[in-house]
Amino acid sequence: MKIIARIKTDFPTKFGLPRQSGLIEQIKGKIVFEKPYRNVDAFRGLEDFSHIWLIWKFSKAEREAWAPTVRPPLLGGNKKMGVFATRSPFRPNPVGLSAVKLEKIEYTDNLGPVLYVSGCDLMDGTPIYDIKPYLPYADSIADATGGFTDNLSERKLEVVLPPNLQKAFDTEKTTELMGVLSADPRPSYIEDETRVYGFLFCDREIKFTVKGKVLTVIDIL
């Protein structure tokens, strides 16, 4: 398959990324197309859709061999499930699927059409294979069941971001960061109140601790 575009986000590594698309609506991304796919005719009518599907490559999770079972972090990292019953990046083909909101299309002279999206869960530079419109009448299934995820509650934390550290970002980026932190970016199977966690976001290293249901940012480097 041909790579048609790459997405630009504030996440150079996977730590801190939302676990699924759409969970944190504040997270922004910008999709820049490769030169052969900048033909404006290919985007005709796309602006009428509110959401799009991204079909993309797990470019940092490629392996020569694949395993039939994986250990989903949502189950504590100890229980094995079949790879096809999970969204693990370690698959026979490293392909990801994300539904994101299409905020706008900007037609530029040097890059051609650029898509601005939100609610994304992709690392910076992730290759994109294809884009398709999200169809509410077909893609939304009201009575769908979620397998082992149905009994799992979403973890939400209270976030303490000291005023002196807020100055590292503008208002929009602070809102995005608060969304990421409140969703608890730690691996699901780690509960260590003495541990200092850190991840890269928007060219900064965010360091934090978690005690109970309170996440405290202790430094932004």
Side-chain angles (χ1 to χ4, degrees), residues 3 5-7 11-14 17 55-63 89-91 93-96 121-129:
I3 294 171
R6 294 180 186 273
I7 192 168
F11 294 91
T13 62
K14 68 178 183 179
L17 274 173
I55 301 172
W56 48 278
K57 180 181 182 181
F58 283 108
S59 53
K60 302 299 183 182
E62 292 184 272
R63 295 179 174 180
F90 304 109
R91 322 186 65 79
N93 291 301
V95 176
D121 58 343
L122 290 78
M123 287 174 51
D124 184 53
T126 295
I128 296 175
Y129 287 129

Side-chain angles (χ1 to χ4, degrees), residues 10-187:
D10 290 316
F11 294 91
T13 62
K14 68 178 183 179
F15 192 97
L17 274 173
R19 293 178 176 86
Q20 301 293 339
S21 61
L23 289 182
I24 306 176
E25 297 177 355
Q26 303 96 319
I27 300 300
K28 302 292 194 300
K30 183 170 70 172
I31 299 173
V32 178
F33 289 81
E34 301 293 305
K35 288 185 177 180
Y37 308 102
R38 295 177 182 176
N39 188 323
V40 295
D41 289 337
F43 302 83
R44 189 183 303 169
L46 186 61
E47 69 278 359
D48 295 329
F49 294 89
S50 66
H51 292 73
I52 55 177
W53 287 107
L54 305 180
I55 301 172
W56 48 278
K57 180 181 182 181
F58 283 108
S59 53
K60 302 299 183 182
E62 292 184 272
R63 295 179 174 180
E64 292 186 4
W66 71 283
T69 60
V70 296
R71 300 175 186 269
L74 282 176
L75 294 179
N78 296 315
K79 185 175 180 179
K80 289 186 177 181
M81 299 294 289
V83 66
F84 299 130
T86 75
R87 294 193 175 185
S88 167
F90 304 109
R91 322 186 65 79
N93 291 301
V95 176
L97 180 68
S98 297
V100 298
K101 184 177 182 181
L102 178 60
E103 298 286 353
K104 67 175 181 178
I105 304 175
E106 183 178 278
Y107 293 91
T108 69
D109 292 332
N110 59 330
L111 297 176
V114 176
L115 307 187
Y116 289 79
V117 299
S118 61
C120 52
D121 58 343
L122 290 78
M123 287 174 51
D124 184 53
T126 295
I128 296 175
Y129 287 129
D130 202 5
I131 289 172
K132 299 178 185 291
Y134 179 94
L135 306 179
Y137 80 92
D139 294 339
S140 179
I141 304 173
D143 58 350
T145 58
F148 67 86
T149 68
D150 278 344
N151 298 320
L152 300 176
S153 58
E154 186 179 359
R155 297 189 298 179
K156 285 292 184 181
L157 301 177
E158 176 188 347
V159 179
V160 177
L161 178 58
N164 63 306
L165 296 180
Q166 292 185 29
K167 298 177 181 178
F169 301 101
D170 58 31
T171 302
E172 182 179 1
K173 293 301 180 183
T174 299
T175 301
E176 291 183 32
L177 176 62
M178 293 292 283
V180 171
L181 295 174
S182 66
D184 195 351
R186 298 174 300 165

Side-chain angles (χ1 to χ4, degrees), residues 182-195:
S182 66
D184 195 351
R186 298 174 300 165
S188 302
Y189 51 88
I190 294 181
E191 294 284 349
D192 183 354
E193 293 189 349
T194 65
R195 182 169 178 172

